[in-house]
Amino acid sequence: MSYLVMFVSSAILSLILTPHVIKLAYKLNAIDVPKDSRRVHKRPIPRMGGLAVFISFCIVSIFSLKLDLTLVGLLLSSLIIVFMGMVDDIKTLRPVSKLIIQLFASILLILFGIKIKSLSIPFMGVDKYINLGFFSVPLTIFWVVGMTNAFNLIDGLDGLASGIGFISSITLFIISILTSRYLSSVLTIILAGSCLGFLYYNFNPAKVFLGDTGSQFIGFILASISIISAIKYYTAFSILASVLAFGVPIYDTLSAIIRRKLNNRPIMEADRGHLHHRLLDKGFSHKNVVIIIYLISMVLGIISIFTIVLPSSISVFLFISAATLLVFWKVLNKNYRDQLYNK
């Protein structure tokens, strides 16, 4: 089955499934009611739409790939994340409960052999890497749980998380093709199609939200695929490429942690200080904010691709430059103090 067929199949399947998931969300009362200032929508919207993304991803993956231990482990651990998301979309779970389940799903991944075993060493040649040994377990858990929550946090506007999920998937697909990683290239192109099909119903004005079901699944599966891609290919698929590919969610999450810490608020507590909220407060329209963040994500994705095809010294320079630009953009913003001390 060609990549184009996999992409189109998953997109069409997601497109067909989403209306049925919307009906299911209404039956289960998985409805997002705008009851605080953080929410931008003005009317109740069904959530749990990510179930369509998950089902289409699973079906096309099973038909496209051999059902080996890696794929079984990926789908089983993802199922745990999706089930937790569904429960949270119906009746809100405590942050600690969600964290425990995320840890369990991450450990399951590791038991199936999906973990960060080594890290490449920039400037030291293609065969130089650090064998992590015992530290591969906590680093894998940190990466997977962190990315799962990062995509959950960025899911604040119509089409934002699903669109970034699509862009990140295409970025990792291109990188996987360049590094001859067949499994990850198949998984990412299928995920891209699933996100795109859902985006038809999710873009502003949204008929359905991803919910925790979808945002956490997309973050979890992208983090997992990036690990699969890196196994036995340390230098070509460096950690720098993955960090840049997921640049917007990572940046927004780190900003949220710093902001809440400075305000003496719990890190897991929601607020209205995210990147998309800041852009809305500057007067940009809902659609324009989403498009702006799409463009930022695309630029970071392109840079991450360059880190693969260029020499390691230039790759590290590009990574540092991108990170520096993000920091300076934050610092030079005239509302920087208000963003940090947003009450």
Side-chain angles (χ1 to χ4, degrees), residues 72-261:
V72 170
L74 190 66
L75 297 181
L76 282 178
S77 55
S78 298
L79 179 61
I80 294 171
I81 294 294
V82 169
F83 182 74
M84 174 194 67
M86 290 176 63
V87 173
D88 190 51
D89 285 336
I90 297 169
K91 51 181 181 181
T92 305
L93 294 172
R94 294 188 307 159
V96 174
S97 300
K98 291 197 286 187
L99 180 59
I100 291 172
I101 296 171
Q102 290 167 358
L103 290 171
F104 177 76
S106 301
I107 291 171
L108 184 61
L109 265 182
I110 293 169
L111 292 176
F112 275 90
I114 303 172
K115 61 181 178 179
I116 304 171
K117 298 177 181 179
S118 303
L119 291 179
S120 60
I121 306 175
F123 311 111
M124 296 297 290
V126 295
D127 296 323
K128 301 296 182 179
Y129 58 88
I130 302 172
N131 194 328
L132 294 171
F134 169 79
F135 293 101
S136 67
V137 173
L139 183 59
T140 299
I141 292 173
F142 176 79
W143 174 248
V144 174
V145 172
M147 286 309 307
T148 301
N149 287 293
F151 269 84
N152 189 33
L153 286 174
I154 202 70
D155 187 26
L157 293 181
D158 297 355
L160 187 53
S162 53
I164 291 177
F166 170 76
I167 294 168
S168 298
S169 297
I170 292 296
T171 300
L172 293 190
F173 169 72
I174 295 172
I175 292 173
S176 298
I177 292 294
L178 291 173
T179 56
S180 303
R181 312 307 293 169
Y182 179 72
L183 176 57
S184 58
S185 63
V186 170
L187 292 172
T188 47
I189 200 64
I190 293 172
L191 181 61
S194 300
C195 288
L196 187 63
F198 176 77
L199 192 57
Y200 176 80
Y201 297 96
N202 185 228
F203 198 74
N204 183 261
K207 297 180 178 65
V208 61
F209 292 155
L210 275 173
D212 272 29
T213 305
S215 60
Q216 295 198 56
F217 164 68
I218 291 174
F220 182 88
I221 201 71
L222 281 172
S224 303
I225 293 172
S226 69
I227 294 172
I228 292 172
S229 302
I231 293 174
K232 296 181 181 179
Y233 210 79
Y234 316 108
T235 303
F237 198 101
S238 68
I239 195 68
L240 302 184
S242 299
V243 170
L244 285 170
F246 310 139
V248 172
I250 291 174
Y251 167 80
D252 195 56
T253 300
L254 291 175
S255 295
I257 292 172
I258 294 171
R259 183 176 62 250
R260 291 165 189 174
K261 201 69 178 174

Side-chain angles (χ1 to χ4, degrees), residues 255-263 271 273-274 339-340 342:
S255 295
I257 292 172
I258 294 171
R259 183 176 62 250
R260 291 165 189 174
K261 201 69 178 174
L262 289 174
N263 287 317
D271 61 19
H274 294 285
Q339 291 178 32
L340 288 180
N342 181 59

Side-chain angles (χ1 to χ4, degrees), residues 297-333:
S297 187
M298 288 172 64
V299 170
L300 291 174
I302 292 169
I303 294 174
S304 73
I305 293 170
F306 279 132
T307 65
I308 296 300
V309 299
L310 295 174
S312 60
S313 57
I314 300 177
S315 298
V316 173
F317 173 76
L318 285 174
F319 174 81
I320 294 173
S321 298
T324 302
L325 284 173
L326 286 174
V327 171
F328 269 101
W329 180 82
K330 186 81 171 178
V331 172
L332 294 177
N333 190 307

